[in-house]
Amino acid sequence: MPAKIPTVEIAKGVQMPVIGLGTYFQPEVGDATKWAIDAGYRLIDTVELYKNEEDIGKALKETLEKGVVKREELFILSKVWSYHHREDEVVEACKNSLKKLQLDYLDFYLIHLPIGLNFHKEDVYFPYREDGVLDTNDIDYLETWRGMEKCVELGLTKSIGISNFNSRQIERILSVCKIKPSSLQVELNPHVTQKELLKYCKEKNIAVIAYTPIGRPNLQEKTPNYIFDDRVLAIAQKYGKTATQIILRYLIDCGACPIPRSVNKQRIESNIDIFDFNLTPEEISVIDSFNANKRFCKFTDAKGHKYHFLGPEDF
């Protein structure tokens, strides 16, 4: 039987599963989507940038037509890319994502980055000027947010949120918005636990989605270290789980919703098999100890931009 996934209410009448399938630049994502749904996943995370919305859309259509799952049981999430930060462009970008996904509506639509980029040409998502500097613009993400609200008003998405924003930027949105952000998606794993940001979002009733939740494991180099540490392995042995499962459970116990990526059927099934135990406060403290504020996704090319979100004083 597929796993039964707990949910968290992110907006009135909108329940989001606490774990989902990440599809960051993954090949063979169509099969992975079908395997994930068969295993019990209901949250599928994608975005224009990943260039896989069409593959996911085909898999969703096939799955829905077969009656494996009903549309209202799924939670499909996409994001507006930084080329489309003008208010009217946001709506068109959302419509294009829906067309590729072969859906009538999204469950969640996010602003991918607070930083706008100047369009150069198709299939070039990170444009650079002749001097080698990333070609950004100063479009205010508050304008982008107005476009996101229009997407809700038009019925294109049930809820809206943000990705890679810090608390100060969220405060700016909260001070003027008609519809508050329901969720924030950020990098979150034992190397960057972001406890202050988690606390802030809990106070604001904003769900946190964790991308890169287990880091980027390298078996030869035995990194990240928390996957191979004897203390984590001992916890895994206690519960009859893998170190990866322990880390995913840790994130959920800390109040985040991880979206591990995989195109391996067995790992997809394993990643969701984490709802028959809870970590103790002592075990959570062990994993907390790996925090080094060390990110895999640093966005250094946009450093210095007025809306960059990784300043030393920010959370």
Side-chain angles (χ1 to χ4, degrees), residues 210-257:
Y211 72 74
T212 321
I214 59 172
R216 294 175 181 168
N218 185 311
L219 297 180
Q220 290 183 330
E221 297 181 5
K222 292 191 174 183
T223 57
N225 61 337
Y226 46 81
I227 295 291
F228 303 92
D229 188 272
D230 288 342
R231 293 169 295 169
V232 176
L233 294 175
I235 296 171
Q237 185 177 22
K238 170 185 171 182
Y239 293 107
K241 301 294 180 180
T242 66
T244 294
Q245 289 171 313
I246 295 300
I247 298 307
L248 293 173
R249 180 71 242 187
Y250 159 80
L251 292 170
I252 290 173
D253 286 344
C254 288
C257 303

Side-chain angles (χ1 to χ4, degrees), residues 39-246:
Y41 290 78
R42 295 297 178 260
L43 167 59
I44 308 296
D45 175 86
T46 186
V47 63
E48 175 188 352
L49 174 68
Y50 303 164
K51 305 179 187 178
N52 59 19
E53 288 176 313
E54 290 182 347
D55 288 340
I56 292 173
K58 291 175 184 177
L60 292 175
K61 184 181 183 203
E62 181 180 332
T63 302
L64 291 168
E65 288 179 345
K66 286 183 176 179
V68 176
V69 68
K70 297 177 182 178
R71 173 64 185 94
E72 57 267 25
E73 296 174 316
L74 294 173
F75 197 96
I76 309 302
L77 185 159
S78 193
K79 309 179 192 77
V80 61
W81 183 235
S82 296
Y83 277 162
H84 314 300
H85 273 206
R86 296 289 183 196
E87 184 174 341
D88 57 339
E89 295 172 345
V90 175
V91 173
E92 291 307 308
C94 188
K95 289 179 178 179
N96 286 335
S97 286
L98 286 171
K99 183 178 179 180
K100 293 175 185 177
L101 289 164
Q102 301 187 55
L103 297 174
D104 295 325
Y105 67 90
L106 291 170
D107 297 275
F108 221 153
Y109 200 43
L110 308 182
I111 302 177
H112 200 150
L113 291 170
I115 297 167
L117 298 173
N118 292 318
F119 178 82
H120 282 214
K121 60 181 180 179
E122 296 291 341
D123 295 328
V124 175
Y125 287 87
F126 291 94
Y128 288 86
R129 305 190 312 234
E130 291 183 359
D131 59 3
V133 175
L134 190 66
D135 194 7
T136 62
N137 58 51
D138 287 337
I139 297 173
D140 195 326
Y141 54 81
L142 294 183
E143 175 180 346
T144 313
W145 190 253
R146 291 195 294 271
M148 301 290 284
E149 292 175 327
K150 279 191 176 180
C151 289
V152 176
E153 293 164 1
L154 292 170
L156 303 177
T157 183
K158 287 188 173 182
S159 53
I160 49 178
I162 46 189
S163 179
N164 299 305
F165 277 60
N166 62 39
S167 59
R168 291 192 301 166
Q169 293 166 332
I170 297 171
E171 281 294 325
R172 284 191 75 221
I173 294 176
L174 291 175
S175 70
V176 299
C177 66
K178 293 186 293 182
I179 302 172
K180 71 180 286 287
S182 299
S183 182
L184 168 69
Q185 186 173 127
V186 290
E187 181 177 351
L188 193 63
N189 55 60
H191 273 170
V192 53
T193 57
Q194 305 223 57
K195 289 299 180 82
E196 290 187 59
L197 185 60
L198 279 169
K199 180 182 177 183
Y200 168 83
C201 287
K202 184 177 181 179
E203 291 171 351
K204 300 295 182 180
N205 197 28
I206 297 172
V208 176
I209 302 172
Y211 72 74
T212 321
I214 59 172
R216 294 175 181 168
N218 185 311
L219 297 180
Q220 290 183 330
E221 297 181 5
K222 292 191 174 183
T223 57
N225 61 337
Y226 46 81
I227 295 291
F228 303 92
D229 188 272
D230 288 342
R231 293 169 295 169
V232 176
L233 294 175
I235 296 171
Q237 185 177 22
K238 170 185 171 182
Y239 293 107
K241 301 294 180 180
T242 66
T244 294
Q245 289 171 313
I246 295 300

